Amino acid sequence: MTTLFTGYRLGDLVLPNRVVMAPMTRVRAAAGGLATPSMARYYAQRATAGLIVTEGVQPNLIGQSNPGTPGLHTDDQVTAWRTVTDAVHTNGGRVFAQIMHGGRVSHPDTTGMQPVGPSAVAAVGEVFTPNGRQPARAPRALDTAEVPEHVHSYADAARRAVDAGFDGVELHGANGYLISQFLSSNANLRTDRYGGSVTNRIRFAVEAVTATAEAIGADRTGIRLSPGGAFWGIEEADVAELYAALLTELSRLGLAYIHLEATIGEETLVALRRIWPGTLVMNPVLPMGPKQAGRSDADHWLGLGADLISFGRAFIANPDLVERLRTGLPIAPADEATYFEGGDNGYLTYSAYQHSA
């Protein structure tokens, strides 16, 4: 019988369990988007996960969403990330880099540039900047001739990720960032081949994934999606049709996995599982929602056909989450005030479960 603790083969990787550490923004990078020794320790502490997916990593400077996030677009960044991947591998783990282009969810105070997006439509809400939260500004709409540059930014970052020792990459196609903006029906008002119809709105995602798979191998490439998610004011018309079309196109590539968030009803997600022939990673609760995922959520989705289950917030305060899930130990809550404050507090200050004498 398949359980959360049954091994799983993912491409060339043998995972000892089906627990995935989901990507979570932690804004602990040094100046220049460099990974740090603290980041190496943080990820190495959680290497008992079947697979770790890092926080979002910008593929170029204009794709940086928040200050304090790491990049994969300079040689120095590659060198810095090697300390992280080496630490994870030394502890017996496996790690993918999540490649995240923020698109319109950015600010000139962070990058020195006007954000770009499919159309000149501002995100809803305030974005983080070095000078505090500020209202999101309207991005500059990309010209058709510019789009391939941003498509290939994911592939370029993926090559650097492999050079840095990562086992693979996950494209961030969820939560209102650039790929999600192209999928959207209200952030994407284009009238060229990248906008309008479902076929056109999925084109950017398909091209970005295809370019990445060609660069590093499909079996080392995944993508995260949030069907129907309303992050940063995103709306998606015809969600079921949109994601059925997207998964049908992606199914031709032989990818490592798709990673779905539970951002729409279970019936739709199960229908997408039927369309997708490969590995499905399921994130069973809403990001930043009121509920933290636990063992029962994992078992539920394994029963519905998911292959791997990702946990986000539960991994922040529980570096030994796999063992806690295995033995039924309590899952400690994280201090939300420290999520984005930087430094080691609320980052390296959580320990494994202490058994009483």
Side-chain angles (χ1 to χ4, degrees):
M1 177 181 175
T2 298
T3 75
L4 195 56
F5 310 104
T6 306
Y8 188 80
R9 187 168 192 92
L10 185 71
D12 289 337
L13 299 176
V14 177
L15 313 187
N17 57 66
R18 297 174 182 240
V19 178
V20 175
M21 178 176 167
M24 291 173 287
T25 299
R26 302 308 310 276
V27 294
R28 260 70 177 189
L34 301 180
T36 67
S38 289
M39 290 168 64
R41 185 177 170 198
Y42 171 77
Y43 285 113
Q45 286 176 339
R46 291 153 178 81
T48 53
L51 177 67
I52 291 172
V53 185
T54 70
E55 62 213 275
V57 182
Q58 57 261 15
N60 48 29
L61 182 57
I62 201 168
Q64 182 175 4
S65 182
N66 299 317
T69 54
L72 266 172
H73 53 91
T74 71
D75 292 344
D76 286 345
Q77 290 166 354
V78 170
T79 300
W81 272 116
R82 286 192 187 121
T83 65
V84 178
T85 58
D86 285 349
V88 171
H89 291 146
T90 296
N91 276 20
R94 298 136 299 274
V95 59
F96 275 34
Q98 189 192 60
I99 303 174
M100 171 183 155
H101 190 311
R104 69 180 187 171
V105 185
S106 184
H107 196 277
D109 286 2
T110 300
T111 65
M113 294 176 277
Q114 183 183 7
V116 296
S119 300
V121 180
V124 176
E126 295 181 327
V127 296
F128 289 97
T129 80
N131 302 308
R133 290 176 179 261
Q134 297 193 51
R137 296 188 183 180
R140 180 179 64 80
L142 290 167
D143 292 335
T144 304
E146 291 180 284
V147 173
E149 171 192 342
H150 294 272
V151 163
H152 287 282
S153 71
Y154 294 91
D156 293 340
R159 290 188 189 93
R160 290 185 178 275
V162 171
D163 288 346
F166 283 101
D167 298 298
V169 303
E170 173 183 288
L171 277 64
H172 198 346
N175 299 14
Y177 299 108
L178 185 62
I179 291 174
S180 175
Q181 291 159 31
F182 272 92
L183 293 172
S184 168
S185 51
N186 70 338
N188 180 354
L189 306 179
R190 303 176 73 91
T191 56
D192 64 358
R193 62 196 300 267
Y194 292 98
S197 68
V198 163
T199 299
N200 286 352
R201 282 170 26 226
I202 68 171
R203 192 183 308 278
F204 183 88
V206 172
E207 289 182 354
V209 174
T210 301
T212 303
E214 290 174 351
I216 66 167
D219 61 344
R220 294 198 284 189
T221 303
I223 184 171
R224 193 176 205 214
L225 301 167
S226 52
F231 305 93
W232 299 105
I234 285 288
E235 294 177 6
E236 293 172 340
D238 307 315
V239 174
E241 178 189 356
L242 178 72
Y243 283 89
L246 177 58
L247 267 56
T248 298
E249 288 299 311
L250 295 180
S251 70
R252 309 179 202 281
L253 302 178
L255 300 180
Y257 64 78
I258 60 163
H259 186 176
L260 293 181
E261 297 177 16
T263 41
I264 199 166
E266 190 172 288
E267 182 179 350
T268 301
L269 294 169
V270 170
L272 294 177
R273 161 75 281 190
R274 288 195 292 267
I275 291 169
W276 178 250
T279 298
L280 172 63
V281 183
M282 191 67 213
N283 189 253
V285 300
L286 286 172
M288 304 304 289
K291 184 181 178 184
Q292 181 169 280
R295 177 71 185 273
S296 62
D297 302 291
D299 290 342
H300 176 72
W301 278 103
L302 288 172
L304 290 175
D307 299 295
L308 306 170
I309 306 296
S310 69
F311 296 82
R313 285 164 290 164
F315 259 114
I316 292 177
N318 301 274
D320 59 338
L321 179 64
V322 174
E323 185 62 17
R324 294 189 191 223
L325 291 168
R326 189 194 309 274
T327 58
L329 291 170
I331 297 176
D335 179 3
E336 294 187 18
T338 65
Y339 280 3
F340 312 121
E341 73 172 13
D344 288 347
N345 182 44
Y347 193 62
L348 299 181
T349 49
Y350 298 112
S351 61
Y353 187 81
Q354 302 296 312
H355 293 272
S356 57

